[in-house]
Amino acid sequence: MPNEALGKAVDVLVRSRHAVALVGAGISAESGIPTFRGPSGLWSNAQRLEAFDFGRFQQNPEDWWENILSQWGQMWSLFWQTLEAAEPSLGHYALAELETLGIIKHVLTQNVDGLHQKAGTRSLTELHGSFRNFRCVRCGTRSPIGDFIEQLAPALVFKQFPPRCSQCQSVLKPDAVFFGENLPSDTLHSFALHSALTDCLLLIGTSAFIRYVVEVAQDVKSYHGALVEINPEKTALTDICDIVIPAAAGTVLPEFVVRIRGLSA
Ligand code: NAD
Ligand code: ZN
């Protein structure tokens, strides 16, 4: 691990007023959840693109639910079981610890796996929602998927089908943001707030192919905030980062914790 870059990053973090972590699928690769572009194809085949298409859901939510259990039931089960089996990685736990130490003020995650909460992160925005919750597209109420599920195999079976919102009785969709769906307004608000406040943005395990990830990094840079990247591979943002640590999140973040604890000992 590059010692000099690590030292510089710790220095910047300790001096920052509002350090924010912007996290991608890389941190969860160490929890056994494949990245978007990774080899397993958990996310990227054509059936998935079709199933998680917002236009299709909007056209007829009842039909969408029929399809997910009949045509796409195996896929949905695989998704759910992969998430259920996953435990937070060392990187997730270290990020939660950095919040407790008062260093990280907020985590903006692109991940939909719920592992940040499981690791103990409190100040969190799930930019793309979560596959652990349902969300009402009419009133925005979120509810844990577990409240609706009777059993898992061979496909998911719901106590009540299709699942309906307890507030307005509309048909629910998974909280995860589908292809073609806008981010919910509370998410956008939180994203804008923490992006504007940050003077140190940690880019962790994201390939930065989503436009707003690139834009927030460029904004932070233009206001003289520090950009720190933790990623074993080069990304679209590597060249504009102030500090680049080309290593795994599960190695680097625990090392931050050790060094920062060491400063106050
Ligand atoms: P991505 O798959 O495009 O990129 C993952 C990045 O992580 C790569 O740059 C890779 O080099 C890096 N990486 C791999 N292992 C790492 C490690 N141990 N430590 C640090 N970095 C590591 O992921 P993305 O940029 O998050 O975009 C994918 C999109 O798909 C997201 O918008 C997300 O919503 C969704 N997605 C979510 C999950 C999840 O919830 N776990 C998983 C896959 C995809
Ligand atoms: Zn509702």
Side-chain angles (χ1 to χ4, degrees):
M1 214 179 352
N3 216 18
E4 198 190 327
L6 244 153
K8 277 189 191 164
V10 167
D11 207 40
V12 165
L13 277 171
V14 170
R15 282 190 286 110
S16 67
R17 287 185 321 275
H18 198 90
V20 169
L22 205 168
V23 187
I27 200 170
S28 296
E30 294 175 77
S31 294
I33 300 177
T35 58
F36 192 63
R37 286 148 186 244
S40 97
L42 181 66
W43 307 91
S44 43
N45 76 24
Q47 199 188 35
R48 250 146 235 139
L49 294 179
E50 192 189 342
F52 299 138
D53 179 81
F54 189 57
R56 194 166 175 141
F57 178 86
Q58 266 186 319
Q59 246 167 30
N60 191 333
E62 278 88 356
D63 257 21
W64 184 89
W65 275 110
E66 290 287 347
N67 280 331
I68 203 89
L69 290 197
S70 52
Q71 295 177 35
W72 302 321
Q74 292 295 341
M75 176 188 82
W76 182 238
S77 289
L78 174 66
F79 239 84
W80 178 255
Q81 280 162 351
T82 304
L83 294 188
E84 274 296 279
E87 288 298 331
S89 64
L90 292 176
H92 289 106
Y93 285 118
L95 213 45
E97 182 62 23
L98 287 169
E99 182 185 10
T100 304
L101 290 169
I103 300 291
I104 294 284
K105 300 299 191 296
H106 194 75
V107 174
L108 298 166
T109 189
Q110 297 170 77
N111 297 339
V112 290
D113 52 33
L115 291 178
H116 290 291
Q117 292 98 326
K118 228 175 171 178
T121 287
R122 295 178 302 272
S123 185
L124 175 72
T125 304
E126 293 176 300
L127 295 166
H128 297 164
S130 169
F131 268 107
R132 292 180 188 275
N133 292 327
F134 286 146
R135 172 169 42 89
C136 176
V137 282
R138 183 184 289 171
C139 75
T141 300
R142 293 180 177 86
S143 8
I145 287 185
D147 291 356
F148 295 81
I149 286 173
E150 205 105 78
Q151 63 188 79
L152 282 173
L156 295 178
V157 176
F158 295 97
K159 286 175 191 161
Q160 174 203 356
F161 182 80
R164 288 189 182 274
C165 174
S166 59
Q167 304 300 310
C168 74
Q169 295 310 307
S170 294
V171 178
L172 296 174
K173 75 175 278 293
D175 177 41
V177 174
F178 282 8
F179 299 103
E181 181 181 4
N182 291 329
L183 304 196
S185 54
D186 56 346
T187 305
L188 280 173
H189 176 76
S190 174
F191 178 60
L193 178 75
H194 291 287
S195 307
L197 284 175
T198 187
D199 55 350
C200 175
L201 188 67
L202 281 187
L203 294 154
I204 304 169
T206 176
S207 61
F209 75 91
I210 293 176
R211 191 168 40 89
Y212 66 73
V213 172
V214 174
E215 284 172 359
V216 67
Q218 287 169 338
D219 282 355
V220 170
K221 180 101 187 159
S222 69
Y223 292 112
H224 308 293
L227 292 181
V228 180
E229 182 172 72
I230 300 165
N231 195 318
E233 306 289 334
K234 197 170 188 294
T235 76
L237 289 170
T238 304
D239 288 344
I240 67 158
C241 284
D242 302 285
I243 302 167
V244 177
I245 308 178
T251 312
V252 177
L253 294 170
E255 186 60 27
F256 282 173
V257 171
V258 169
R259 290 187 183 210
I260 288 167
R261 278 211 196 110
L263 293 176
S264 52

Short mmCIF file of all heavy atoms in Angstrom, two decimals, residues 19-69:
data_model
loop_
_atom_site.label_atom_id
_atom_site.label_comp_id
_atom_site.label_asym_id
_atom_site.label_seq_id
_atom_site.Cartn_x
_atom_site.Cartn_y
_atom_site.Cartn_z
N ALA A 19 -16.09 15.93 5.60
CA ALA A 19 -15.63 14.87 4.69
C ALA A 19 -16.80 13.95 4.35
O ALA A 19 -17.55 13.52 5.23
CB ALA A 19 -14.50 14.07 5.32
N VAL A 20 -16.96 13.69 3.06
CA VAL A 20 -18.05 12.83 2.59
C VAL A 20 -17.46 11.69 1.78
O VAL A 20 -16.53 11.89 0.99
CB VAL A 20 -19.02 13.67 1.70
CG1 VAL A 20 -20.01 12.79 0.96
CG2 VAL A 20 -19.76 14.70 2.55
N ALA A 21 -17.98 10.48 1.99
CA ALA A 21 -17.55 9.34 1.17
C ALA A 21 -18.58 9.10 0.08
O ALA A 21 -19.78 9.03 0.37
CB ALA A 21 -17.42 8.10 2.05
N LEU A 22 -18.13 9.02 -1.17
CA LEU A 22 -19.02 8.67 -2.28
C LEU A 22 -18.62 7.27 -2.72
O LEU A 22 -17.53 7.06 -3.23
CB LEU A 22 -18.87 9.68 -3.40
CG LEU A 22 -20.07 9.85 -4.33
CD1 LEU A 22 -19.89 11.08 -5.21
CD2 LEU A 22 -20.34 8.66 -5.20
N VAL A 23 -19.51 6.31 -2.46
CA VAL A 23 -19.11 4.90 -2.53
C VAL A 23 -19.79 4.18 -3.69
O VAL A 23 -20.95 4.46 -4.03
CB VAL A 23 -19.50 4.21 -1.20
CG1 VAL A 23 -18.96 2.79 -1.16
CG2 VAL A 23 -18.98 4.99 0.00
N GLY A 24 -19.05 3.25 -4.29
CA GLY A 24 -19.61 2.42 -5.36
C GLY A 24 -19.48 0.94 -5.06
O GLY A 24 -19.09 0.55 -3.95
N ALA A 25 -19.79 0.15 -6.06
CA ALA A 25 -19.91 -1.30 -5.88
C ALA A 25 -18.62 -1.98 -5.42
O ALA A 25 -18.67 -3.08 -4.86
CB ALA A 25 -20.38 -1.93 -7.19
N GLY A 26 -17.46 -1.32 -5.61
CA GLY A 26 -16.18 -1.92 -5.23
C GLY A 26 -16.11 -2.31 -3.76
O GLY A 26 -15.55 -3.35 -3.42
N ILE A 27 -16.70 -1.52 -2.88
CA ILE A 27 -16.61 -1.82 -1.44
C ILE A 27 -17.36 -3.12 -1.12
O ILE A 27 -16.99 -3.86 -0.22
CB ILE A 27 -17.13 -0.64 -0.57
CG1 ILE A 27 -16.61 -0.74 0.86
CG2 ILE A 27 -18.65 -0.54 -0.60
CD1 ILE A 27 -16.86 0.50 1.71
N SER A 28 -18.41 -3.39 -1.90
CA SER A 28 -19.22 -4.59 -1.64
C SER A 28 -18.68 -5.82 -2.37
O SER A 28 -19.14 -6.94 -2.12
CB SER A 28 -20.68 -4.35 -2.04
OG SER A 28 -21.23 -3.33 -1.23
N ALA A 29 -17.73 -5.61 -3.28
CA ALA A 29 -17.09 -6.76 -3.94
C ALA A 29 -16.44 -7.63 -2.87
O ALA A 29 -16.45 -8.85 -2.96
CB ALA A 29 -16.05 -6.27 -4.95
N GLU A 30 -15.93 -6.97 -1.82
CA GLU A 30 -15.29 -7.72 -0.73
C GLU A 30 -16.32 -8.38 0.19
O GLU A 30 -15.95 -9.07 1.13
CB GLU A 30 -14.34 -6.80 0.04
CG GLU A 30 -13.16 -6.36 -0.82
CD GLU A 30 -12.25 -5.35 -0.13
OE1 GLU A 30 -11.46 -5.76 0.73
OE2 GLU A 30 -12.34 -4.15 -0.46
N SER A 31 -17.61 -8.13 -0.06
CA SER A 31 -18.68 -8.83 0.66
C SER A 31 -19.29 -9.92 -0.22
O SER A 31 -20.33 -10.48 0.11
CB SER A 31 -19.79 -7.85 1.04
OG SER A 31 -19.33 -6.90 1.96
N GLY A 32 -18.68 -10.14 -1.37
CA GLY A 32 -19.16 -11.20 -2.27
C GLY A 32 -20.27 -10.76 -3.21
O GLY A 32 -20.90 -11.60 -3.86
N ILE A 33 -20.53 -9.44 -3.31
CA ILE A 33 -21.54 -8.96 -4.26
C ILE A 33 -20.79 -8.45 -5.50
O ILE A 33 -19.99 -7.53 -5.38
CB ILE A 33 -22.41 -7.84 -3.66
CG1 ILE A 33 -23.13 -8.38 -2.42
CG2 ILE A 33 -23.41 -7.33 -4.68
CD1 ILE A 33 -23.96 -7.35 -1.70
N PRO A 34 -21.05 -9.05 -6.65
CA PRO A 34 -20.29 -8.65 -7.84
C PRO A 34 -20.50 -7.18 -8.18
O PRO A 34 -21.59 -6.64 -7.96
CB PRO A 34 -20.86 -9.53 -8.94
CG PRO A 34 -21.64 -10.60 -8.27
CD PRO A 34 -22.05 -10.08 -6.94
N THR A 35 -19.46 -6.54 -8.74
CA THR A 35 -19.61 -5.16 -9.20
C THR A 35 -20.42 -5.17 -10.50
O THR A 35 -20.64 -6.21 -11.10
CB THR A 35 -18.24 -4.50 -9.45
OG1 THR A 35 -17.54 -5.29 -10.40
CG2 THR A 35 -17.43 -4.40 -8.17
N PHE A 36 -20.85 -3.98 -10.91
CA PHE A 36 -21.71 -3.87 -12.09
C PHE A 36 -21.03 -4.45 -13.32
O PHE A 36 -21.62 -5.15 -14.12
CB PHE A 36 -22.05 -2.39 -12.31
CG PHE A 36 -23.14 -2.17 -13.29
CD1 PHE A 36 -24.41 -2.64 -13.04
CD2 PHE A 36 -22.91 -1.49 -14.47
CE1 PHE A 36 -25.45 -2.44 -13.93
CE2 PHE A 36 -23.94 -1.27 -15.37
CZ PHE A 36 -25.20 -1.75 -15.11
N ARG A 37 -19.74 -4.07 -13.47
CA ARG A 37 -19.00 -4.53 -14.64
C ARG A 37 -18.23 -5.81 -14.37
O ARG A 37 -17.44 -6.24 -15.21
CB ARG A 37 -18.06 -3.42 -15.10
CG ARG A 37 -18.86 -2.34 -15.76
CD ARG A 37 -18.31 -0.97 -15.58
NE ARG A 37 -19.27 -0.04 -16.15
CZ ARG A 37 -19.04 0.74 -17.19
NH1 ARG A 37 -17.87 0.75 -17.75
NH2 ARG A 37 -19.98 1.53 -17.65
N GLY A 38 -18.42 -6.36 -13.18
CA GLY A 38 -17.68 -7.57 -12.80
C GLY A 38 -18.12 -8.77 -13.62
O GLY A 38 -19.06 -8.70 -14.41
N PRO A 39 -17.45 -9.92 -13.42
CA PRO A 39 -17.63 -11.08 -14.29
C PRO A 39 -18.93 -11.86 -14.11
O PRO A 39 -19.40 -12.51 -15.02
CB PRO A 39 -16.43 -11.96 -13.94
CG PRO A 39 -16.01 -11.53 -12.57
CD PRO A 39 -16.42 -10.12 -12.40
N SER A 40 -19.62 -11.77 -12.94
CA SER A 40 -20.68 -12.75 -12.69
C SER A 40 -21.96 -12.53 -13.49
O SER A 40 -22.74 -13.44 -13.70
CB SER A 40 -21.05 -12.74 -11.22
OG SER A 40 -22.19 -11.94 -11.04
N GLY A 41 -22.21 -11.31 -13.92
CA GLY A 41 -23.43 -11.05 -14.67
C GLY A 41 -24.66 -10.97 -13.78
O GLY A 41 -25.78 -11.06 -14.26
N LEU A 42 -24.46 -10.79 -12.47
CA LEU A 42 -25.62 -10.68 -11.59
C LEU A 42 -26.50 -9.50 -11.99
O LEU A 42 -27.71 -9.51 -11.82
CB LEU A 42 -25.16 -10.53 -10.14
CG LEU A 42 -26.24 -10.42 -9.06
CD1 LEU A 42 -27.03 -11.72 -8.95
CD2 LEU A 42 -25.65 -10.07 -7.71
N TRP A 43 -25.87 -8.46 -12.52
CA TRP A 43 -26.61 -7.23 -12.82
C TRP A 43 -26.89 -6.98 -14.29
O TRP A 43 -27.85 -6.32 -14.63
CB TRP A 43 -25.81 -6.01 -12.33
CG TRP A 43 -25.40 -6.12 -10.93
CD1 TRP A 43 -24.23 -6.66 -10.46
CD2 TRP A 43 -26.15 -5.73 -9.78
NE1 TRP A 43 -24.22 -6.61 -9.10
CE2 TRP A 43 -25.37 -6.04 -8.66
CE3 TRP A 43 -27.39 -5.12 -9.60
CZ2 TRP A 43 -25.80 -5.78 -7.36
CZ3 TRP A 43 -27.82 -4.85 -8.32
CH2 TRP A 43 -27.03 -5.19 -7.22
N SER A 44 -25.99 -7.49 -15.16
CA SER A 44 -25.92 -6.83 -16.45
C SER A 44 -26.61 -7.52 -17.63
O SER A 44 -26.51 -7.03 -18.73
CB SER A 44 -24.45 -6.58 -16.80
OG SER A 44 -23.70 -7.72 -16.48
N ASN A 45 -27.30 -8.63 -17.44
CA ASN A 45 -27.84 -9.21 -18.67
C ASN A 45 -29.17 -8.57 -19.09
O ASN A 45 -29.78 -7.79 -18.36
CB ASN A 45 -27.91 -10.75 -18.60
CG ASN A 45 -29.05 -11.24 -17.75
OD1 ASN A 45 -30.03 -10.55 -17.55
ND2 ASN A 45 -28.91 -12.45 -17.24
N ALA A 46 -29.55 -8.88 -20.30
CA ALA A 46 -30.67 -8.18 -20.92
C ALA A 46 -31.97 -8.35 -20.12
O ALA A 46 -32.77 -7.41 -20.00
CB ALA A 46 -30.87 -8.71 -22.33
N GLN A 47 -32.17 -9.54 -19.54
CA GLN A 47 -33.39 -9.80 -18.78
C GLN A 47 -33.50 -8.83 -17.60
O GLN A 47 -34.57 -8.32 -17.28
CB GLN A 47 -33.34 -11.23 -18.26
CG GLN A 47 -34.70 -11.75 -17.87
CD GLN A 47 -34.60 -13.10 -17.18
OE1 GLN A 47 -33.66 -13.37 -16.44
NE2 GLN A 47 -35.58 -13.93 -17.42
N ARG A 48 -32.35 -8.57 -16.98
CA ARG A 48 -32.35 -7.65 -15.83
C ARG A 48 -32.68 -6.22 -16.26
O ARG A 48 -33.41 -5.50 -15.59
CB ARG A 48 -30.97 -7.66 -15.19
CG ARG A 48 -31.04 -8.33 -13.87
CD ARG A 48 -29.79 -9.08 -13.56
NE ARG A 48 -30.16 -10.43 -13.27
CZ ARG A 48 -29.52 -11.50 -13.67
NH1 ARG A 48 -28.44 -11.38 -14.37
NH2 ARG A 48 -29.97 -12.68 -13.36
N LEU A 49 -32.11 -5.81 -17.39
CA LEU A 49 -32.38 -4.46 -17.87
C LEU A 49 -33.87 -4.31 -18.12
O LEU A 49 -34.48 -3.29 -17.83
CB LEU A 49 -31.60 -4.19 -19.17
CG LEU A 49 -30.09 -4.14 -19.02
CD1 LEU A 49 -29.43 -3.89 -20.36
CD2 LEU A 49 -29.68 -3.04 -18.04
N GLU A 50 -34.48 -5.38 -18.66
CA GLU A 50 -35.90 -5.34 -18.98
C GLU A 50 -36.73 -5.35 -17.69
O GLU A 50 -37.67 -4.58 -17.52
CB GLU A 50 -36.22 -6.57 -19.82
CG GLU A 50 -37.59 -6.55 -20.47
CD GLU A 50 -37.92 -7.89 -21.10
OE1 GLU A 50 -37.00 -8.70 -21.34
OE2 GLU A 50 -39.11 -8.12 -21.32
N ALA A 51 -36.33 -6.20 -16.74
CA ALA A 51 -37.11 -6.33 -15.51
C ALA A 51 -37.07 -5.05 -14.69
O ALA A 51 -38.09 -4.65 -14.12
CB ALA A 51 -36.56 -7.48 -14.66
N PHE A 52 -35.92 -4.39 -14.66
CA PHE A 52 -35.79 -3.20 -13.83
C PHE A 52 -35.91 -1.92 -14.65
O PHE A 52 -35.20 -0.95 -14.43
CB PHE A 52 -34.49 -3.25 -13.02
CG PHE A 52 -34.43 -4.44 -12.10
CD1 PHE A 52 -33.27 -5.18 -11.95
CD2 PHE A 52 -35.55 -4.83 -11.37
CE1 PHE A 52 -33.23 -6.29 -11.11
CE2 PHE A 52 -35.53 -5.93 -10.53
CZ PHE A 52 -34.38 -6.66 -10.40
N ASP A 53 -36.85 -1.96 -15.58
CA ASP A 53 -37.11 -0.79 -16.43
C ASP A 53 -38.29 -0.02 -15.85
O ASP A 53 -39.38 -0.57 -15.68
CB ASP A 53 -37.43 -1.29 -17.86
CG ASP A 53 -37.73 -0.14 -18.79
OD1 ASP A 53 -36.76 0.46 -19.28
OD2 ASP A 53 -38.91 0.17 -19.01
N PHE A 54 -38.09 1.25 -15.55
CA PHE A 54 -39.12 2.01 -14.85
C PHE A 54 -40.37 2.21 -15.72
O PHE A 54 -41.50 2.15 -15.23
CB PHE A 54 -38.56 3.36 -14.39
CG PHE A 54 -39.51 4.10 -13.49
CD1 PHE A 54 -39.97 3.51 -12.32
CD2 PHE A 54 -39.94 5.38 -13.81
CE1 PHE A 54 -40.85 4.19 -11.47
CE2 PHE A 54 -40.83 6.06 -12.96
CZ PHE A 54 -41.28 5.47 -11.81
N GLY A 55 -40.14 2.46 -17.03
CA GLY A 55 -41.28 2.66 -17.94
C GLY A 55 -42.20 1.46 -17.90
O GLY A 55 -43.44 1.60 -17.87
N ARG A 56 -41.61 0.29 -17.89
CA ARG A 56 -42.38 -0.95 -17.86
C ARG A 56 -43.17 -1.07 -16.56
O ARG A 56 -44.34 -1.48 -16.56
CB ARG A 56 -41.40 -2.12 -18.00
CG ARG A 56 -42.10 -3.37 -18.31
CD ARG A 56 -41.13 -4.43 -18.78
NE ARG A 56 -41.93 -5.63 -18.94
CZ ARG A 56 -41.78 -6.48 -19.91
NH1 ARG A 56 -40.87 -6.29 -20.83
NH2 ARG A 56 -42.55 -7.54 -19.97
N PHE A 57 -42.55 -0.70 -15.46
CA PHE A 57 -43.26 -0.74 -14.18
C PHE A 57 -44.43 0.23 -14.19
O PHE A 57 -45.55 -0.11 -13.80
CB PHE A 57 -42.30 -0.40 -13.02
CG PHE A 57 -43.00 -0.40 -11.68
CD1 PHE A 57 -43.14 -1.58 -10.96
CD2 PHE A 57 -43.57 0.76 -11.17
CE1 PHE A 57 -43.83 -1.60 -9.75
CE2 PHE A 57 -44.24 0.74 -9.95
CZ PHE A 57 -44.37 -0.43 -9.25
N GLN A 58 -44.16 1.45 -14.67
CA GLN A 58 -45.18 2.51 -14.65
C GLN A 58 -46.40 2.16 -15.51
O GLN A 58 -47.53 2.46 -15.16
CB GLN A 58 -44.59 3.80 -15.20
CG GLN A 58 -44.04 4.72 -14.14
CD GLN A 58 -43.63 6.03 -14.76
OE1 GLN A 58 -43.05 6.04 -15.84
NE2 GLN A 58 -43.94 7.11 -14.11
N GLN A 59 -46.12 1.51 -16.65
CA GLN A 59 -47.19 1.15 -17.58
C GLN A 59 -48.28 0.35 -16.89
O GLN A 59 -49.46 0.61 -17.06
CB GLN A 59 -46.62 0.28 -18.69
CG GLN A 59 -46.65 0.93 -20.05
CD GLN A 59 -45.78 0.13 -21.01
OE1 GLN A 59 -45.64 -1.09 -20.86
NE2 GLN A 59 -45.20 0.81 -21.97
N ASN A 60 -47.83 -0.64 -16.11
CA ASN A 60 -48.80 -1.48 -15.42
C ASN A 60 -48.14 -2.17 -14.23
O ASN A 60 -47.59 -3.26 -14.37
CB ASN A 60 -49.39 -2.51 -16.39
CG ASN A 60 -50.59 -3.20 -15.77
OD1 ASN A 60 -50.69 -3.31 -14.54
ND2 ASN A 60 -51.48 -3.68 -16.61
N PRO A 61 -48.18 -1.53 -13.04
CA PRO A 61 -47.48 -2.09 -11.88
C PRO A 61 -47.95 -3.50 -11.52
O PRO A 61 -47.14 -4.36 -11.15
CB PRO A 61 -47.80 -1.10 -10.76
CG PRO A 61 -48.13 0.17 -11.45
CD PRO A 61 -48.77 -0.21 -12.75
N GLU A 62 -49.27 -3.77 -11.65
CA GLU A 62 -49.77 -5.12 -11.30
C GLU A 62 -49.15 -6.17 -12.21
O GLU A 62 -48.72 -7.23 -11.77
CB GLU A 62 -51.31 -5.18 -11.41
CG GLU A 62 -52.04 -4.65 -10.19
CD GLU A 62 -52.30 -3.14 -10.28
OE1 GLU A 62 -51.83 -2.52 -11.26
OE2 GLU A 62 -52.94 -2.59 -9.36
N ASP A 63 -49.10 -5.85 -13.53
CA ASP A 63 -48.49 -6.75 -14.51
C ASP A 63 -47.02 -6.97 -14.22
O ASP A 63 -46.50 -8.08 -14.35
CB ASP A 63 -48.55 -6.10 -15.90
CG ASP A 63 -49.64 -6.71 -16.74
OD1 ASP A 63 -50.55 -7.31 -16.13
OD2 ASP A 63 -49.57 -6.56 -17.97
N TRP A 64 -46.37 -5.87 -13.84
CA TRP A 64 -44.93 -5.97 -13.55
C TRP A 64 -44.70 -6.98 -12.43
O TRP A 64 -43.83 -7.83 -12.52
CB TRP A 64 -44.37 -4.59 -13.15
CG TRP A 64 -42.89 -4.62 -12.94
CD1 TRP A 64 -41.93 -4.42 -13.89
CD2 TRP A 64 -42.20 -4.91 -11.71
NE1 TRP A 64 -40.67 -4.56 -13.32
CE2 TRP A 64 -40.81 -4.86 -11.99
CE3 TRP A 64 -42.60 -5.20 -10.41
CZ2 TRP A 64 -39.84 -5.08 -11.01
CZ3 TRP A 64 -41.63 -5.43 -9.44
CH2 TRP A 64 -40.27 -5.37 -9.74
N TRP A 65 -45.55 -6.92 -11.39
CA TRP A 65 -45.40 -7.86 -10.27
C TRP A 65 -45.70 -9.29 -10.69
O TRP A 65 -45.04 -10.24 -10.24
CB TRP A 65 -46.26 -7.43 -9.08
CG TRP A 65 -45.56 -6.41 -8.22
CD1 TRP A 65 -45.87 -5.09 -8.08
CD2 TRP A 65 -44.41 -6.64 -7.40
NE1 TRP A 65 -44.98 -4.48 -7.24
CE2 TRP A 65 -44.07 -5.40 -6.80
CE3 TRP A 65 -43.61 -7.74 -7.12
CZ2 TRP A 65 -43.00 -5.24 -5.92
CZ3 TRP A 65 -42.53 -7.59 -6.25
CH2 TRP A 65 -42.24 -6.35 -5.67
N GLU A 66 -46.72 -9.46 -11.55
CA GLU A 66 -47.02 -10.82 -12.06
C GLU A 66 -45.78 -11.38 -12.75
O GLU A 66 -45.40 -12.52 -12.54
CB GLU A 66 -48.17 -10.77 -13.09
CG GLU A 66 -49.52 -10.47 -12.52
CD GLU A 66 -50.10 -11.65 -11.73
OE1 GLU A 66 -49.58 -12.80 -11.80
OE2 GLU A 66 -51.09 -11.40 -11.03
N ASN A 67 -45.17 -10.53 -13.62
CA ASN A 67 -44.00 -10.97 -14.39
C ASN A 67 -42.82 -11.29 -13.51
O ASN A 67 -42.11 -12.26 -13.77
CB ASN A 67 -43.58 -9.87 -15.37
CG ASN A 67 -44.45 -9.88 -16.60
OD1 ASN A 67 -44.97 -10.91 -16.97
ND2 ASN A 67 -44.62 -8.73 -17.20
N ILE A 68 -42.61 -10.46 -12.50
CA ILE A 68 -41.39 -10.66 -11.69
C ILE A 68 -41.46 -12.03 -11.02
O ILE A 68 -40.45 -12.70 -10.85
CB ILE A 68 -41.17 -9.51 -10.69
CG1 ILE A 68 -39.70 -9.41 -10.29
CG2 ILE A 68 -41.94 -9.64 -9.40
CD1 ILE A 68 -38.87 -8.56 -11.11
N LEU A 69 -42.66 -12.45 -10.65
CA LEU A 69 -42.75 -13.76 -10.00
C LEU A 69 -42.86 -14.92 -10.99
O LEU A 69 -42.34 -16.00 -10.72
CB LEU A 69 -43.93 -13.80 -9.03
CG LEU A 69 -43.74 -12.94 -7.79
CD1 LEU A 69 -44.73 -13.32 -6.72
CD2 LEU A 69 -42.33 -13.03 -7.22
#
